[in-house]
Amino acid sequence: MTEHRVFTRLRPSGRVSDKGKIFADVRSPTIECTVVDQSARGACLDIHGSLEIPKRFFFLHGGVKKSCVVLWQKGRRVGVSY
């Protein structure tokens, strides 16, 4: 099976943390996650805890806040687009 990805996904390495945080707005609780892989346009995340994952949220990783949309979800693993 060939993949037709525009961007290559990379696993976090070196000085970049593989931990991130998800929040829908300022009043919502923060959801911890682990970055499985990422590209310039999206990421694959493992979600910790049992809170419901919103369809749109902000993702904080490496000191950068990005607006995200969930593209797919399988259990507690989600694919997001920035």
Side-chain angles (χ1 to χ4, degrees):
M1 180 173 171
T2 61
E3 294 186 33
H4 301 288
R5 291 183 178 174
V6 177
F7 296 97
T8 304
R9 292 193 176 266
L10 304 170
R11 295 193 187 282
S13 64
R15 299 182 75 149
V16 178
S17 173
D18 65 343
K19 303 293 180 194
K21 295 183 181 188
I22 293 172
F23 56 95
D25 58 43
V26 193
R27 291 170 281 204
S28 66
T30 302
I31 302 170
E32 302 288 326
C33 65
T34 302
V35 179
V36 176
D37 61 22
Q38 62 186 12
S39 72
R41 304 224 10 204
C44 178
L45 309 173
D46 268 335
I47 309 299
H48 306 288
S50 60
L51 292 173
E52 184 177 337
I53 304 159
K55 296 295 179 196
R56 293 183 176 273
F57 56 82
F58 292 102
F59 174 54
L60 182 62
H61 179 249
V64 178
K65 182 172 84 171
K66 297 182 180 185
S67 177
C68 296
V69 176
V70 174
L71 297 177
W72 58 267
Q73 180 174 355
K74 187 172 183 179
R76 300 305 289 172
R77 185 169 280 194
V78 297
V80 299
S81 174
Y82 305 135

